[in-house]
PDB file of all heavy atoms in Angstrom:
ATOM      1  N   SER A  36     137.430 -62.582-177.863  1.00 94.00           N
ATOM      2  CA  SER A  36     137.420 -61.119-177.809  1.00 94.00           C
ATOM      3  C   SER A  36     138.000 -60.618-176.492  1.00 94.00           C
ATOM      4  O   SER A  36     138.804 -59.691-176.447  1.00 94.00           O
ATOM      5  CB  SER A  36     135.981 -60.608-177.962  1.00 94.00           C
ATOM      6  OG  SER A  36     135.914 -59.251-177.623  1.00 94.00           O
ATOM      7  N   ALA A  37     137.581 -61.255-175.399  1.00 96.00           N
ATOM      8  CA  ALA A  37     137.987 -60.761-174.080  1.00 96.00           C
ATOM      9  C   ALA A  37     139.473 -61.020-173.814  1.00 96.00           C
ATOM     10  O   ALA A  37     140.203 -60.116-173.389  1.00 96.00           O
ATOM     11  CB  ALA A  37     137.129 -61.429-173.003  1.00 96.00           C
ATOM     12  N   VAL A  38     139.915 -62.240-174.063  1.00 95.00           N
ATOM     13  CA  VAL A  38     141.307 -62.571-173.760  1.00 95.00           C
ATOM     14  C   VAL A  38     142.197 -62.034-174.871  1.00 95.00           C
ATOM     15  O   VAL A  38     142.019 -62.364-176.036  1.00 95.00           O
ATOM     16  CB  VAL A  38     141.494 -64.101-173.656  1.00 95.00           C
ATOM     17  CG1 VAL A  38     142.968 -64.443-173.495  1.00 95.00           C
ATOM     18  CG2 VAL A  38     140.685 -64.646-172.507  1.00 95.00           C
ATOM     19  N   GLY A  39     143.111 -61.186-174.490  1.00 96.00           N
ATOM     20  CA  GLY A  39     143.963 -60.602-175.519  1.00 96.00           C
ATOM     21  C   GLY A  39     145.114 -59.865-174.873  1.00 96.00           C
ATOM     22  O   GLY A  39     145.555 -60.215-173.767  1.00 96.00           O
ATOM     23  N   LEU A  40     145.576 -58.829-175.535  1.00 97.00           N
ATOM     24  CA  LEU A  40     146.694 -58.059-174.997  1.00 97.00           C
ATOM     25  C   LEU A  40     146.343 -57.487-173.633  1.00 97.00           C
ATOM     26  O   LEU A  40     147.210 -57.283-172.787  1.00 97.00           O
ATOM     27  CB  LEU A  40     147.028 -56.924-175.947  1.00 97.00           C
ATOM     28  CG  LEU A  40     147.564 -57.337-177.319  1.00 97.00           C
ATOM     29  CD1 LEU A  40     147.712 -56.115-178.205  1.00 97.00           C
ATOM     30  CD2 LEU A  40     148.904 -58.042-177.164  1.00 97.00           C
ATOM     31  N   GLY A  41     145.056 -57.219-173.428  1.00 97.00           N
ATOM     32  CA  GLY A  41     144.615 -56.653-172.149  1.00 97.00           C
ATOM     33  C   GLY A  41     145.040 -57.521-170.983  1.00 97.00           C
ATOM     34  O   GLY A  41     145.450 -57.016-169.930  1.00 97.00           O
ATOM     35  N   ASN A  42     144.954 -58.826-171.158  1.00 96.00           N
ATOM     36  CA  ASN A  42     145.270 -59.731-170.054  1.00 96.00           C
ATOM     37  C   ASN A  42     146.760 -59.919-169.870  1.00 96.00           C
ATOM     38  O   ASN A  42     147.263 -59.967-168.757  1.00 96.00           O
ATOM     39  CB  ASN A  42     144.673 -61.116-170.337  1.00 96.00           C
ATOM     40  CG  ASN A  42     143.211 -61.032-170.668  1.00 96.00           C
ATOM     41  OD1 ASN A  42     142.834 -60.399-171.640  1.00 96.00           O
ATOM     42  ND2 ASN A  42     142.393 -61.626-169.858  1.00 96.00           N
ATOM     43  N   ILE A 119     140.772 -47.727-180.106  1.00 98.00           N
ATOM     44  CA  ILE A 119     141.484 -48.796-179.390  1.00 98.00           C
ATOM     45  C   ILE A 119     142.281 -49.636-180.381  1.00 98.00           C
ATOM     46  O   ILE A 119     143.465 -49.892-180.197  1.00 98.00           O
ATOM     47  CB  ILE A 119     140.510 -49.692-178.597  1.00 98.00           C
ATOM     48  CG1 ILE A 119     139.838 -48.894-177.484  1.00 98.00           C
ATOM     49  CG2 ILE A 119     141.253 -50.901-178.001  1.00 98.00           C
ATOM     50  CD1 ILE A 119     138.792 -49.672-176.704  1.00 98.00           C
ATOM     51  N   TYR A 123     146.079 -50.880-180.394  1.00 98.00           N
ATOM     52  CA  TYR A 123     146.127 -52.314-180.125  1.00 98.00           C
ATOM     53  C   TYR A 123     146.947 -53.025-181.199  1.00 98.00           C
ATOM     54  O   TYR A 123     147.738 -53.915-180.934  1.00 98.00           O
ATOM     55  CB  TYR A 123     144.692 -52.827-180.146  1.00 98.00           C
ATOM     56  CG  TYR A 123     144.437 -54.105-179.405  1.00 98.00           C
ATOM     57  CD1 TYR A 123     144.178 -54.091-178.034  1.00 98.00           C
ATOM     58  CD2 TYR A 123     144.421 -55.328-180.062  1.00 98.00           C
ATOM     59  CE1 TYR A 123     143.914 -55.253-177.350  1.00 98.00           C
ATOM     60  CE2 TYR A 123     144.158 -56.501-179.382  1.00 98.00           C
ATOM     61  CZ  TYR A 123     143.903 -56.455-178.023  1.00 98.00           C
ATOM     62  OH  TYR A 123     143.650 -57.614-177.345  1.00 98.00           O
ATOM     63  N   PHE A 244     137.862 -52.851-170.242  1.00 97.00           N
ATOM     64  CA  PHE A 244     138.734 -53.149-171.380  1.00 97.00           C
ATOM     65  C   PHE A 244     138.939 -54.659-171.540  1.00 97.00           C
ATOM     66  O   PHE A 244     138.768 -55.222-172.621  1.00 97.00           O
ATOM     67  CB  PHE A 244     140.078 -52.439-171.182  1.00 97.00           C
ATOM     68  CG  PHE A 244     141.019 -52.578-172.340  1.00 97.00           C
ATOM     69  CD1 PHE A 244     141.010 -51.658-173.379  1.00 97.00           C
ATOM     70  CD2 PHE A 244     141.943 -53.621-172.403  1.00 97.00           C
ATOM     71  CE1 PHE A 244     141.882 -51.775-174.460  1.00 97.00           C
ATOM     72  CE2 PHE A 244     142.821 -53.749-173.472  1.00 97.00           C
ATOM     73  CZ  PHE A 244     142.785 -52.812-174.506  1.00 97.00           C
ATOM     74  N   THR A 245     139.275 -55.306-170.433  1.00 98.00           N
ATOM     75  CA  THR A 245     139.648 -56.709-170.533  1.00 98.00           C
ATOM     76  C   THR A 245     138.454 -57.593-170.881  1.00 98.00           C
ATOM     77  O   THR A 245     138.587 -58.627-171.503  1.00 98.00           O
ATOM     78  CB  THR A 245     140.345 -57.184-169.238  1.00 98.00           C
ATOM     79  OG1 THR A 245     140.939 -58.455-169.472  1.00 98.00           O
ATOM     80  CG2 THR A 245     139.389 -57.304-168.082  1.00 98.00           C
ATOM     81  N   LEU A 246     137.247 -57.153-170.486  1.00 98.00           N
ATOM     82  CA  LEU A 246     136.060 -57.946-170.850  1.00 98.00           C
ATOM     83  C   LEU A 246     135.443 -57.460-172.158  1.00 98.00           C
ATOM     84  O   LEU A 246     134.371 -57.910-172.551  1.00 98.00           O
ATOM     85  CB  LEU A 246     135.024 -57.887-169.721  1.00 98.00           C
ATOM     86  CG  LEU A 246     135.433 -58.536-168.393  1.00 98.00           C
ATOM     87  CD1 LEU A 246     134.324 -58.377-167.351  1.00 98.00           C
ATOM     88  CD2 LEU A 246     135.745 -60.021-168.571  1.00 98.00           C
ATOM     89  N   SER A 247     136.090 -56.535-172.837  1.00 97.00           N
ATOM     90  CA  SER A 247     135.611 -55.987-174.120  1.00 97.00           C
ATOM     91  C   SER A 247     134.258 -55.288-173.987  1.00 97.00           C
ATOM     92  O   SER A 247     133.421 -55.382-174.880  1.00 97.00           O
ATOM     93  CB  SER A 247     135.458 -57.093-175.174  1.00 97.00           C
ATOM     94  OG  SER A 247     136.623 -57.825-175.315  1.00 97.00           O
ATOM     95  N   LEU A 248     134.048 -54.597-172.858  1.00 97.00           N
ATOM     96  CA  LEU A 248     132.721 -54.016-172.626  1.00 97.00           C
ATOM     97  C   LEU A 248     132.665 -52.525-172.929  1.00 97.00           C
ATOM     98  O   LEU A 248     133.673 -51.835-172.896  1.00 97.00           O
ATOM     99  CB  LEU A 248     132.340 -54.202-171.152  1.00 97.00           C
ATOM    100  CG  LEU A 248     132.243 -55.644-170.698  1.00 97.00           C
ATOM    101  CD1 LEU A 248     131.908 -55.695-169.219  1.00 97.00           C
ATOM    102  CD2 LEU A 248     131.185 -56.379-171.509  1.00 97.00           C
ATOM    103  N   MET A 250     131.749 -50.816-175.664  1.00 95.00           N
ATOM    104  CA  MET A 250     131.872 -50.213-176.998  1.00 95.00           C
ATOM    105  C   MET A 250     131.135 -50.985-178.091  1.00 95.00           C
ATOM    106  O   MET A 250     131.222 -50.643-179.255  1.00 95.00           O
ATOM    107  CB  MET A 250     133.338 -49.985-177.382  1.00 95.00           C
ATOM    108  CG  MET A 250     134.308 -51.126-177.276  1.00 95.00           C
ATOM    109  SD  MET A 250     134.132 -52.459-178.457  1.00 95.00           S
ATOM    110  CE  MET A 250     134.361 -51.627-180.006  1.00 95.00           C
ATOM    111  N   ALA A 252     131.417 -54.369-178.853  1.00 95.00           N
ATOM    112  CA  ALA A 252     131.995 -55.622-179.352  1.00 95.00           C
ATOM    113  C   ALA A 252     131.166 -56.808-178.864  1.00 95.00           C
ATOM    114  O   ALA A 252     130.780 -57.686-179.635  1.00 95.00           O
ATOM    115  CB  ALA A 252     133.442 -55.766-178.901  1.00 95.00           C
ATOM    116  N   ASP A 277     138.697 -65.126-168.591  1.00 96.00           N
ATOM    117  CA  ASP A 277     139.477 -63.918-168.825  1.00 96.00           C
ATOM    118  C   ASP A 277     140.316 -63.559-167.595  1.00 96.00           C
ATOM    119  O   ASP A 277     141.497 -63.226-167.698  1.00 96.00           O
ATOM    120  CB  ASP A 277     138.515 -62.771-169.163  1.00 96.00           C
ATOM    121  CG  ASP A 277     139.258 -61.524-169.545  1.00 96.00           C
ATOM    122  OD1 ASP A 277     139.719 -61.454-170.700  1.00 96.00           O
ATOM    123  OD2 ASP A 277     139.411 -60.630-168.694  1.00 96.00           O
ATOM    124  N   SER A 338     140.809 -60.668-180.602  1.00 94.00           N
ATOM    125  CA  SER A 338     140.233 -59.474-179.974  1.00 94.00           C
ATOM    126  C   SER A 338     140.076 -58.362-180.998  1.00 94.00           C
ATOM    127  O   SER A 338     139.084 -57.638-180.999  1.00 94.00           O
ATOM    128  CB  SER A 338     141.133 -58.949-178.853  1.00 94.00           C
ATOM    129  OG  SER A 338     141.330 -59.922-177.876  1.00 94.00           O
ATOM    130  N   SER A 341     136.989 -58.240-183.054  1.00 92.00           N
ATOM    131  CA  SER A 341     135.762 -57.807-182.384  1.00 92.00           C
ATOM    132  C   SER A 341     135.744 -56.290-182.204  1.00 92.00           C
ATOM    133  O   SER A 341     134.696 -55.690-182.044  1.00 92.00           O
ATOM    134  CB  SER A 341     135.611 -58.501-181.028  1.00 92.00           C
ATOM    135  OG  SER A 341     136.559 -58.011-180.111  1.00 92.00           O
ATOM    136  N   LEU A 342     136.929 -55.678-182.220  1.00 95.00           N
ATOM    137  CA  LEU A 342     136.976 -54.216-182.086  1.00 95.00           C
ATOM    138  C   LEU A 342     136.431 -53.531-183.332  1.00 95.00           C
ATOM    139  O   LEU A 342     135.896 -52.427-183.277  1.00 95.00           O
ATOM    140  CB  LEU A 342     138.417 -53.764-181.844  1.00 95.00           C
ATOM    141  CG  LEU A 342     138.899 -53.913-180.406  1.00 95.00           C
ATOM    142  CD1 LEU A 342     140.417 -53.901-180.339  1.00 95.00           C
ATOM    143  CD2 LEU A 342     138.335 -52.797-179.538  1.00 95.00           C
ATOM    144  N   LEU A 413     135.028 -46.366-172.402  1.00 96.00           N
ATOM    145  CA  LEU A 413     134.413 -47.665-172.104  1.00 96.00           C
ATOM    146  C   LEU A 413     133.534 -47.623-170.846  1.00 96.00           C
ATOM    147  O   LEU A 413     132.391 -48.081-170.884  1.00 96.00           O
ATOM    148  CB  LEU A 413     135.470 -48.781-172.002  1.00 96.00           C
ATOM    149  CG  LEU A 413     136.289 -49.064-173.260  1.00 96.00           C
ATOM    150  CD1 LEU A 413     137.189 -50.276-173.072  1.00 96.00           C
ATOM    151  CD2 LEU A 413     135.390 -49.268-174.479  1.00 96.00           C
TER     152      LEU A 413
HETATM  153  N1  LIG B  15     139.380 -57.352-174.279  1.00 52.45           N
HETATM  154  C1  LIG B  15     140.473 -57.175-175.162  1.00 52.45           C
HETATM  155  C2  LIG B  15     141.758 -57.481-174.421  1.00 52.45           C
HETATM  156  O1  LIG B  15     141.772 -57.666-173.248  1.00 52.45           O
HETATM  157  C3  LIG B  15     140.501 -55.796-175.751  1.00 52.45           C
HETATM  158  C4  LIG B  15     139.193 -55.302-176.255  1.00 52.45           C
HETATM  159  C5  LIG B  15     138.629 -54.163-175.695  1.00 52.45           C
HETATM  160  C6  LIG B  15     138.509 -55.990-177.261  1.00 52.45           C
HETATM  161  C7  LIG B  15     137.388 -53.707-176.112  1.00 52.45           C
HETATM  162  C8  LIG B  15     137.267 -55.528-177.679  1.00 52.45           C
HETATM  163  C9  LIG B  15     136.703 -54.412-177.119  1.00 52.45           C
HETATM  164  O2  LIG B  15     142.798 -57.529-174.999  1.00 52.45           O
END
Side-chain angles (χ1 to χ4, degrees):
S36 167
V38 174
L40 294 174
N42 308 61
I119 295 176
Y123 202 85
F244 185 90
T245 192
L246 295 179
S247 306
L248 299 178
M250 52 70 60
D277 185 79
S338 301
S341 71
L342 280 161
L413 298 186

